């Protein structure tokens, strides 16, 4: 028996599928959509980088119509092909390599190759959770292709092995990803919250077309290893999670918005305190933040959150939709609930 510390992703696959081969039966095609998700309380830092086990729990909201639609078919070529938004990606691109490594986890005995066709309606690799919806939709498309009869818990664990935040991208609405305690991470998966908030809206304020230079994976590792502020992060998250759950339960918008904004700013503060510093914000990001703070002082209830990229996601209520649009004409407004 291997020591838990040396567990590999492949060991987790064996645990999930037990005696069965993951590719025993198959259909002609697998097809699935997964929404992207925006964390209101962030995941930042891993306690196990191989298994993508987070230091803390996190809580997100799904963007229903934003995400990835992935189809998978077998191909008679001795390699996999990945097509992203109608463009065949180079075999040596980082994303293709991550996809291939992920597929390898399921190619234990028999060799097969696939064409993966992903359509994403969010910018790729720029802090808009493209890897979350990408890997969640890949797992769901594989489930469809191989007819897996797996629980949501297992699907969430499989998605996490692809990209941490993908564990949360299997549901609409609010989702909590539980950090868990075990070394193998079998207690580290997400569950949806039974809460709806139809008046709550998100606005995507995309501030550049460029892809980010530092991946969230690298930035997280550098922060955990080199930020003197990182010790405070788990305490901040523990507190924010309690407040956010409470704000959702009683529909206290100011409490939700303020806590989510403060959580994101604290996450970025841990990155700024690394050396060399990690700064995802652009001048446009800071200008938008300043504008939001002034608008709030003037009475407009709008808050923001920011992930591992320069864009902001605005958080506001339906009643302020028009005003938010007037102030930020380029914002893309997302209705979260029907
Ligand atoms: O799952 P990753 O490796 O893409 O990391 C996501 C990290 C953040 O988006 C910054 C925070 C989060 O909880 O989604």
């Amino acid at each position: 028996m291997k020591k838990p510390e040396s567990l590999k992703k492949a060991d987790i696959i064996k645990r999930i599928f037990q005696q069965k081969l993951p590719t025993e039966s198959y259909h002609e095609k697998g097809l699935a959509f997964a929404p992207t998700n925006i964390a209101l309380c962030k995941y930042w830092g891993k306690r196990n980088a191989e298994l993508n086990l987070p230091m803390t729990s996190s809580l997100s909201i799904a963007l229903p119509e934003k995400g990835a639609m992935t189809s998978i078919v077998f191909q008679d070529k001795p390699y996999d092909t990945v097509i992203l938004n109608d463009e065949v990606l180079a075999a040596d691109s980082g994303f293709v390599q991550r996809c291939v490594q992920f597929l390898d986890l399921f190619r234990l005995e028999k060799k097969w190759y696939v064409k993966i066709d992903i359509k994403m309606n969010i910018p790729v690799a720029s802090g808009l959770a493209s890897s979350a919806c990408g890997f969640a939709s890949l797992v769901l498309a594989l489930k469809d292709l191989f007819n897996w009869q797996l629980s949501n818990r297992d699907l969430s664990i499989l998605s996490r092995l692809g990209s941490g935040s993908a564990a949360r991208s299997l549901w609409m609405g609010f989702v909590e990803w539980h950090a868990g305690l075990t070394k193998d991470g079998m207690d580290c998966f997400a569950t949806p919250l039974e809460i709806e908030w139809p008046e709550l809206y998100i606005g995507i304020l995309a501030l550049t077309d460029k892809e980010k230079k530092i991946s969230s994976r690298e930035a997280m590792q550098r922060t955990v290893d080199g930020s003197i502020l990182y010790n405070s992060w788990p305490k901040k998250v523990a507190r924010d999670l309690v407040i956010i759950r409470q704000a959702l339960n009683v529909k206290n918008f100011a409490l939700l918005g303020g806590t989510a904004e403060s959580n994101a700013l604290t996450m970025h503060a841990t990155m700024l305190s690394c050396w060399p510093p990690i700064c995802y914000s652009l001048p446009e990001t800071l200008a938008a933040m300043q504008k939001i703070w002034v608008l709030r002082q003037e009475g407009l209830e709008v808050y923001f959150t920011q992930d591992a990229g320069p864009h902001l996601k605005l958080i506001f209520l339906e009643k302020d939709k028009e005003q938010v649009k007037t102030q930020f004409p380029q914002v893309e407004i997302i209705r979260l609930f029907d």
Side-chain angles (χ1 to χ4, degrees):
M1 178 115 172
K2 273 191 194 166
K3 277 206 202 143
E5 299 86 66
S6 61
L7 281 171
K8 296 279 175 238
K9 289 188 173 100
D11 299 312
I12 306 304
I13 304 291
K14 279 189 208 136
R15 284 184 194 196
I16 287 179
F17 290 94
Q18 296 172 1
Q19 305 306 327
K20 282 207 200 129
L21 257 188
T23 55
E24 219 159 54
S25 70
Y26 49 87
H27 293 141
E28 231 168 70
K29 181 177 177 169
L31 179 71
F33 173 81
T36 190
N37 74 77
I38 303 298
L40 299 168
C41 183
K42 308 290 184 193
Y43 144 56
W44 197 249
K46 305 179 196 206
R47 67 170 197 277
N48 178 323
E50 163 69 16
L51 303 181
N52 285 338
L53 297 178
M55 292 282 197
T56 68
S57 296
S58 56
L59 196 152
S60 62
I61 178 76
L63 306 188
E65 272 153 35
K66 293 275 157 195
M69 177 71 84
T70 296
S71 84
I72 310 187
V73 288
F74 294 103
Q75 67 175 8
D76 278 335
K77 294 177 181 162
Y79 54 85
D80 302 304
T81 305
V82 181
I83 303 168
L84 180 59
N85 293 340
D86 298 321
E87 195 191 316
V88 179
L89 300 184
D92 61 353
S93 82
F95 185 64
V96 173
Q97 286 182 359
R98 277 178 77 185
C99 288
V100 170
Q101 278 165 15
F102 191 70
L103 291 170
D104 284 344
L105 295 172
F106 306 97
R107 291 193 270 230
L108 307 175
E109 286 162 24
K110 194 171 150 207
K111 278 284 167 207
W112 42 266
Y113 297 94
V114 288
K115 183 170 86 179
I116 305 177
D117 195 337
I118 309 172
K119 299 250 185 320
M120 268 189 207
N121 56 3
I122 48 164
V124 176
S126 64
L128 281 168
S130 56
S131 67
C133 59
F135 276 99
S137 67
L138 181 56
V139 166
L140 293 177
L142 286 167
K143 169 190 187 295
D144 192 28
L145 182 70
F146 293 116
N147 204 15
W148 292 337
Q149 307 294 319
L150 296 177
S151 63
N152 284 338
R153 182 197 81 144
D154 289 345
L155 292 170
S156 178
I157 292 175
L158 288 180
S159 304
R160 159 171 57 77
L161 296 180
S163 174
S165 54
R168 299 187 306 238
S169 258
L170 300 175
W171 297 271
M172 299 299 172
F174 299 106
V175 175
E176 187 164 345
W177 174 18
H178 314 279
L181 293 169
T182 61
K183 293 244 161 87
D184 64 3
M186 294 309 285
D187 59 351
C188 176
F189 54 91
T191 51
L193 270 66
E194 298 290 314
I195 297 173
E196 296 210 343
W197 194 338
E199 297 79 19
L200 189 71
Y201 274 66
I202 291 271
I204 299 179
L205 199 60
L207 296 162
T208 175
D209 293 338
K210 295 194 191 88
E211 292 195 2
K212 61 190 178 193
K213 292 200 185 82
I214 308 180
S215 68
S216 50
R217 179 181 297 212
E218 184 190 333
M220 264 184 219
Q221 192 61 54
R222 281 184 49 201
T223 311
V224 173
D225 293 345
S227 163
I228 194 154
L229 301 184
Y230 191 75
N231 274 345
S232 307
W233 176 246
K235 290 178 220 145
K236 168 77 177 156
V237 169
R239 185 173 156 272
D240 287 352
L241 273 176
V242 172
I243 299 174
I244 289 177
R245 281 192 217 109
Q246 188 200 349
L248 294 179
N249 277 324
V250 300
K251 307 263 184 320
N252 182 334
F253 178 68
L255 192 62
L256 175 75
T259 311
E261 185 174 306
S262 160
N263 184 271
L265 288 167
T266 306
M267 177 183 82
H268 285 275
T270 65
M271 291 184 238
L272 284 170
S273 71
C274 293
W275 194 261
I278 301 167
C279 181
Y280 282 112
S281 296
L282 292 174
E284 292 85 339
T285 317
L286 298 177
M289 285 182 189
Q290 305 280 351
K291 183 165 173 176
I292 290 163
W293 292 326
V294 170
L295 288 170
R296 262 214 316 269
Q297 268 180 351
E298 292 169 359
L300 181 62
E301 284 189 287
V302 57
Y303 296 84
F304 68 84
T305 184
Q306 181 188 5
D307 290 287
H311 314 294
L312 295 186
K313 289 93 184 189
L314 308 183
I315 311 168
F316 52 93
L317 292 173
E318 188 172 17
K319 67 178 175 61
D320 293 320
K321 218 165 69 177
E322 296 313 320
Q323 277 213 65
V324 167
K325 188 83 191 156
T326 309
Q327 292 296 337
F328 300 95
Q330 80 273 38
V331 75
E332 189 179 353
I333 294 185
I334 313 282
R335 186 180 174 171
L336 302 171
F337 297 92
D338 286 333

